[in-house]
Amino acid sequence: MSGCNIGIHPETGEMVCSYGASCGEKEVVFTAPDWAMKLPQGEAMNRDPVRLTRGEWWLENRNDYDDLWEQEYTRDALIRVSMGFYDWMKNSWPEREKVKNMALKVLGTFYAKRETRRLLGDYVMTQNDYRIRPDFPDAVCYCGWNLDVHHVMGIFSGSEGAYTCDEKIQITKLPFRCLYSRNISNLMMVGRCISASHVGMGSTRVMITGATMGQAVGTAAVLCKKYGQSPHQIGSGHMDELQQCLLKDGQSIPGVRNHDPGDLALTAEITADSWTESGSPRNVTNGKMRAADGEDYAWVSGKPLPQNLVLTLREPARISQVRITLDMPFARYAMGYDKMPTKDETLADFAVEACVDGNWSCVGSVENNIQRLVVLDFTPVWASAVRIWALRATTVEQAVIVEVRIYACRQ
């Protein structure tokens, strides 16, 4: 099934969805061309509140259009749907008074494919996996979006509504076995073509999850090259290494904890000058990376800033890298239709110091940070401790640090 068009406004460069409309002071009469799609009338169109200057996600073709082999025909049909929708707004919508002064400015000519081909892996993700939520030992990322399947009739579904399934799910692990082919030894896949059933794809298909799949597959490809093995062999014999590499680079895998022997922070004594009841300093090494992993997933400082966090090493080491994972709105598992993340709740300014021969020396600082994972590389120093100064957060008065890692330089 194919959905609403996306285009770029030719004058402003603004991205518009299905159509762009502008509102003036005079009434604008609209007469639809003969080729505009005739859409349902009455209650059949009373779905989500109609957005006046952009299209709706449910502007979809019927499922008897083949958007794999008949792409141009399918695209043209969606243009007809978009024009028919605008005609309905102007001339049939019970609230058409709201758009009487609006004029059509631009019509998108690109369409979004919900699904076409899917490939079979060693495991096929299905609807039951989101209900039972198996503890996949080869998990490499997670799903959290609603298990939503759009109606096969698209905008013509009438009173049956826009969905055939819209089931809210809990956070569900996604196994690596879904991301490589079962019969093409060197093929991996991400996005909407992974090994999932039609209903199972309802949650895996979204872009944020697709991005985490990309990180998993990219890292797996490095291990394939390192060991000269296929993805199946990596999944069978090197899964722990793959998971640990992903965690180190900022991936979140529910239930999988950091046990990297090279991370000196895991054996450090950790203290802070303040913290909240559920925000112990020790939380920065407990392996919990997001709020849904448990309330004690981060160090939460007292107010106001500045505040500091100190990691005293078991023994002095020649260190050259500190990795700091911070809290952001998208650090919470996204479910349903929450607003997209905004960078308004993170630690913006901070500094890192190393204790060398009993004296604190700054080895790195960051201002106006917008990243969740910050990697600070510096000239190697023999240090007995690392201190992080939380100086300023964006819209909150305290620091939230999820994880700290400390690495010695390579000999």
Side-chain angles (χ1 to χ4, degrees):
M1 184 176 291
S2 300
C4 53
N5 305 304
I6 298 175
I8 303 295
H9 193 285
E11 297 177 357
T12 65
E14 178 186 8
M15 186 171 70
V16 293
C17 182
S18 279
Y19 61 86
S22 62
C23 189
E25 297 180 356
K26 297 181 180 180
E27 182 174 355
V28 178
V29 176
F30 178 76
T31 302
D34 294 340
W35 48 263
M37 198 79 78
K38 304 301 181 185
L39 302 183
Q41 302 295 311
E43 292 186 3
M45 290 293 288
N46 293 336
R47 298 181 175 176
D48 294 338
V50 175
R51 290 170 285 193
L52 303 183
T53 58
R54 54 175 294 191
E56 297 290 347
W57 64 266
W58 41 263
L59 293 181
E60 293 181 325
N61 287 329
R62 303 186 305 270
N63 212 36
D64 53 2
Y65 285 90
D66 190 336
D67 58 7
L68 178 60
W69 297 107
E70 298 178 340
Q71 297 188 48
E72 291 190 2
Y73 180 72
T74 303
R75 175 205 61 200
D76 292 347
L78 274 169
I79 294 175
R80 295 178 61 206
V81 167
S82 297
M83 190 63 75
F85 178 70
Y86 188 71
D87 177 40
W88 172 82
M89 286 180 64
K90 292 287 288 188
N91 300 310
S92 301
W93 185 32
E95 300 179 55
R96 56 187 176 272
E97 184 71 16
K98 294 180 179 179
V99 298
K100 71 175 184 179
N101 293 350
M102 285 191 172
L104 187 65
K105 296 174 63 177
V106 62
L107 190 67
T109 57
F110 297 93
Y111 70 98
K113 296 180 183 179
R114 183 177 173 89
E115 59 180 305
T116 52
R117 292 185 175 97
R118 288 191 302 282
L119 304 172
L120 288 175
D122 280 345
Y123 191 85
V124 179
M125 200 74 173
T126 70
Q127 183 177 14
N128 284 338
D129 290 314
Y130 301 100
R131 293 174 171 173
I132 301 173
R133 300 170 65 232
D135 186 20
F136 294 118
D138 62 333
V140 288
C141 54
Y142 67 89
C143 307
W145 187 258
N146 284 12
L147 196 64
D148 76 297
V149 179
H150 295 189
H151 199 289
V152 295
M153 290 303 292
I155 199 170
F156 298 94
S157 60
S159 59
E160 294 183 11
Y163 298 98
T164 53
C165 176
D166 186 26
E167 182 178 326
K168 288 190 178 294
I169 68 167
Q170 293 182 312
I171 296 304
T172 304
K173 298 178 182 180
L174 185 64
F176 181 55
R177 286 166 291 163
C178 292
L179 306 183
Y180 63 82
S181 171
R182 66 171 61 171
N183 58 356
I184 304 175
S185 63
N186 65 343
L187 178 64
M188 290 186 281
M189 54 273 189
V190 300
R192 297 183 174 188
C193 62
I194 71 166
S195 185
S197 68
H198 170 63
V199 178
M201 195 200 70
S203 180
T204 67
R205 67 180 179 83
V206 294
M207 288 185 288
I208 294 178
T209 298
T212 62
M213 295 181 203
Q215 182 174 350
V217 163
T219 304
V222 172
L223 296 185
C224 288
K225 183 175 178 61
K226 175 181 177 180
Y227 293 107
Q229 295 183 346
S230 68
H232 171 83
Q233 291 170 316
I234 294 300
S236 300
H238 301 279
M239 180 47 58
D240 183 68
E241 183 177 358
L242 174 57
Q243 290 174 329
Q244 290 300 309
C245 287
L246 289 170
L247 292 179
K248 184 176 180 180
D249 289 335
Q251 185 80 296
S252 291
I253 309 172
V256 180
R257 304 288 184 250
N258 168 31
H259 58 75
D260 183 356
D263 179 10
L264 302 179
L266 290 178
T267 57
E269 179 185 350
I270 307 173
T271 58
D273 53 5
S274 70
W275 65 86
T276 62
E277 182 177 351
S278 61
S280 168
R282 190 69 214 181
N283 291 343
V284 300
T285 58
N286 69 5
K288 296 182 179 182
M289 298 299 293
R290 296 178 184 261
D293 288 330
E295 292 182 359
D296 54 345
Y297 77 107
W299 170 58
V300 183
S301 77
K303 301 178 182 180
L305 297 179
Q307 303 280 348
N308 71 68
L309 179 74
V310 178
L311 296 91
T312 303
L313 304 182
R314 174 178 290 179
E315 58 185 27
R318 193 166 180 259
I319 64 173
S320 61
Q321 185 184 88
V322 173
R323 290 175 174 245
I324 303 172
T325 301
L326 303 169
D327 202 27
M328 286 190 176
F330 58 74
R332 306 177 185 93
Y333 292 116
M335 300 183 68
Y337 305 111
D338 294 339
K339 293 181 179 179
M340 295 302 290
T342 56
K343 297 180 284 290
D344 62 353
E345 298 177 16
T346 193
L347 189 59
D349 299 346
F350 55 94
V352 176
E353 297 175 329
C355 187
V356 181
D357 295 329
N359 299 310
W360 290 104
S361 175
C362 182
V363 293
S365 61
V366 176
E367 294 182 352
N368 301 316
N369 173 61
I370 59 172
Q371 302 294 330
R372 170 168 159 81
L373 173 63
V374 179
V375 180
L376 288 174
D377 293 299
F378 46 86
T379 302
V381 294
W382 279 99
S384 59
V386 169
R387 182 165 64 186
I388 301 171
W389 277 103
L391 303 175
R392 181 181 68 88
T394 46
T395 61
V396 293
E397 297 180 359
Q398 59 193 147
V400 180
I401 296 180
V402 177
E403 182 180 68
V404 178
R405 295 187 181 213
I406 303 171
Y407 289 95
C409 64
R410 296 178 180 176
Q411 302 298 326

